[in-house]
Amino acid sequence: MTENEQSAGWAAYYDKLRDRPPRKTLLAALDAFGVTPPGALALDLGCGDGRDATELLRRGWRVVAVDAEPEALRQLQARPLPPNSDVTPVVARFEEVPIPLGTLLVNSSFAMPLCEPQAFHALWDRIREGLPSGGRFSGQWYGPRDSWVDRPGITFLRREEALALLEGLELEMFEEEEADGVTPRGKSKHWHIFHIVARKP
Ligand SMILES: C[S@@+](CC[C@H](N)C(=O)[O-])C[C@H]1O[C@@H](n2cnc3c(N)ncnc32)[C@H](O)[C@@H]1O
């Protein structure tokens, strides 16, 4: 797939899912925080057109929104955002983005595994290290029975591997989902997903 085809694919994805609610992992993490801490900062990796970022802003979080596709951030900024929204759009591959000092939540919905395993592990190390005590990670990782398993540039983890990476964190959600379905772009797919919310003690 060329880069242009990939970008066109993501643009179609944003159009298709535009009105969907925030992801359940983000909502669980936000509910676990309770009242938004003053000045709270979230990093949304692979934010897409802002499905989760808008909810963070609505709840008064400051958001650094990272996506490799300029169109994602253009669409996020074109949304009707709450007044005084504090959002910093960053066009970059998330493997290369530092975790900003003071980040309380790293959210990556259906995005973090979309990089090579070595980069995924390095990113996860940085997330774990960068989060303060009481900080959280929310998002999805992919399992090996997912039908995309042969695609290059994506990381898949066995359940034990995922749990090993999460060791030492408090698991507030670890749900394994396997289902036959259809992608937002209309292709049949077997999903094997881990839905994760983890808190650093
Ligand atoms: C499946 S979409 C998910 C979007 C959004 N988080 C959501 O839950 O709807 C994945 C997003 O990650 C972005 N993405 C994929 N690989 C990336 C990478 N290595 N660095 C930054 N963004 C990436 C894509 O451009 C796309 O917007």
Side-chain angles (χ1 to χ4, degrees):
M1 197 191 282
T2 66
E3 265 183 39
N4 281 349
E5 284 168 342
Q6 196 168 332
S7 295
W10 284 126
Y13 177 94
Y14 309 143
D15 283 347
K16 194 88 185 200
L17 297 192
R18 178 154 306 121
D19 297 324
R20 299 280 181 91
R23 304 288 185 179
K24 67 175 181 181
T25 35
L26 174 74
L27 292 176
L30 291 180
D31 289 349
F33 277 111
V35 176
T36 304
L41 176 65
L43 177 64
D44 193 4
L45 300 176
C47 60
D49 68 334
R51 180 171 177 169
D52 286 349
T54 46
E55 178 65 10
L56 283 158
L57 294 167
R58 194 183 69 76
R59 296 199 192 199
W61 286 70
R62 294 182 296 132
V63 179
V64 176
V66 179
D67 204 287
E69 292 294 331
E71 179 61 12
L73 296 164
R74 196 193 63 72
Q75 293 201 19
L76 161 58
Q77 290 173 289
R79 282 182 184 255
L81 300 177
N84 304 322
S85 288
D86 186 340
V87 58
T88 305
V90 179
V91 178
R93 291 192 64 86
F94 46 64
E95 305 93 293
E96 291 155 14
V97 170
I99 312 297
L101 199 67
T103 301
L104 197 51
L105 170 66
V106 177
N107 180 62
S108 187
S109 294
F110 289 88
M112 191 181 156
L114 300 175
C115 65
E116 296 288 347
Q118 202 182 344
F120 176 96
H121 287 279
L123 173 59
W124 179 240
D125 287 348
R126 289 195 293 113
I127 292 172
R128 279 193 70 134
E129 202 170 306
L131 281 175
S133 170
R136 288 184 167 84
F137 168 79
S138 52
Q140 282 71 25
W141 292 349
Y142 298 159
R145 291 186 293 282
D146 196 283
S147 51
W148 286 350
V149 73
D150 292 329
R151 290 191 182 187
I154 306 183
T155 299
F156 299 88
L157 300 166
R158 286 180 284 113
R159 182 187 174 90
E160 316 80 77
E161 289 174 321
L163 286 170
L165 289 180
L166 293 161
E167 214 172 288
L169 301 180
E170 294 163 7
L171 277 186
E172 297 175 323
M173 183 190 293
F174 187 82
E175 290 179 13
E176 185 170 2
E177 180 184 348
E178 268 203 70
D180 290 319
V182 177
T183 68
R185 299 175 213 175
K187 301 228 164 86
S188 301
K189 179 173 188 301
H190 185 76
W191 299 96
H192 186 193
I193 299 164
F194 302 106
H195 300 274
I196 298 163
V197 179
R199 178 180 180 276
K200 187 163 167 179

